[in-house]
Amino acid sequence: MLQKYKQGKSLEKKCITDTIGLVALDKLGNIAAGVSTSGCVFKMEGRVGDTPLPGSGLYADNQSGAACCTGDGDQIMKFCPSFHVALLMKKGHTAQEACTEVVAFIKERLRDNVFQMGIIAMDMMGSCGAAGLIENWTDVKTKMTYNGFPYCMQTEDCNCVQVKIAGMQ
């Protein structure tokens, strides 16, 4: 397959890349973030993306809250957005305000070179936020296209999973 790639021949995509991130707040007031990524073909051996790097792909702090990112990990690493969101929440921003401000900061710095990224966050009160640089996202299984990126929430008050959409900022 690598030979075909080097020869410039088109390849069928052999992996579906996507990140699953979650943030959880327990009854004792402890918050955690977890992220899993599927990776992609032709990555350099040994390459580490944003997912395992605290502050980039995820960050959690019992004094502020937690955040997770999805998107182009090589670009995400340049901004440490999960840490930035947590820092803003520590300074009094809501989870939504923090996500929106971080995405606006990245968009301003990049101007026209925007990459795909989504952020979800939760503050220590259990309030959630999300923002992104993703214009639309298509579910490969259902073929449904969303304007923005979808994320799910479940709270103790609601015994159901709520699907929400974070539109492009």
Side-chain angles (χ1 to χ4, degrees), residues 31-101:
I31 198 158
V35 180
S36 174
T37 186
S38 61
C40 191
V41 295
F42 304 128
K43 274 194 319 192
M44 291 175 45
E45 189 172 325
R47 175 195 165 274
V48 175
D50 70 308
T51 300
L53 300 177
S56 288
L58 75 163
Y59 191 81
D61 179 350
N62 276 352
Q63 294 181 355
S64 59
C68 296
C69 292
T70 184
D72 185 340
D74 292 326
Q75 297 300 318
I76 289 170
M77 285 189 288
K78 297 176 184 178
F79 293 95
C80 293
S82 294
F83 175 75
H84 194 167
V85 166
L87 183 63
L88 289 171
M89 290 189 296
K90 190 173 188 173
K91 291 182 175 184
H93 288 64
T94 66
Q96 185 58 56
E97 290 169 344
C99 289
T100 301
E101 188 169 323

Side-chain angles (χ1 to χ4, degrees), residues 1-9 11 41-43:
M1 189 169 8
L2 182 57
Q3 241 175 346
K4 286 182 184 177
Y5 176 75
K6 286 181 178 179
Q7 294 170 357
K9 295 182 179 175
L11 292 173
V41 295
F42 304 128
K43 274 194 319 192

